[in-house]
Amino acid sequence: MARVVVDVMPKPEILDPQGKAVQGALPRLGFSGVVDVRQGKRFELELDGEASEAVLAEVHQMAQTLLSNPVIEDYDVRVLP
Amino acid sequence: MARVVVDVMPKPEILDPQGKAVQGALPRLGFSGVVDVRQGKRFELELDGEASEAVLAEVHQMAQTLLSNPVIEDYDVRVLP
């Protein structure tokens, strides 16, 4: 059993309305000092076996085809210890 | 300038329909070997200053009040290197 995390974030040049909404809400709640917020998604996958190179290549395929939209989002795959 | 990540995930005992939808879609796309998927949110905060202990305590406050729903979600705060 291996656990893999796929982080999906909007590309830097893409407008992020969710992040902007959070950023706008923070001062109204009394929080200051946050100059930018980006909101993305985090997937935790539990794999039936070891995180071999072949399996991780398949996770990259999943990230590209299902978990992220490569036009507007970047993703990052990492194995949890 | 410090960058802080807040990961927000559904608590283990909470049903996660988004994760289940992803899990159900994977075999239809030809991917096998994933036994569980949980979907959560990832926030990247850019701070106007250093990530001191006082500032991180404030980020925990933000995570508890705005970024997560503590009844159904767990959160994790970490400083990006």
Side-chain angles (χ1 to χ4, degrees), chain A residues 56-73:
Chain A
L56 284 181
E58 207 168 49
V59 172
H60 275 265
Q61 279 294 324
M62 295 174 200
Q64 280 165 29
T65 54
L66 179 66
L67 306 181
S68 78
N69 176 347
V71 178
I72 57 168
E73 292 169 326

Side-chain angles (χ1 to χ4, degrees), chain A residues 5-6 10 13 20 22 24 29 31 35 54 57 68 72 76:
Chain A
V5 168
V6 180
E13 67 272 22
K20 287 283 172 257
V22 170
L29 292 169
F31 296 113
V35 293
S68 78
I72 57 168
D76 182 55

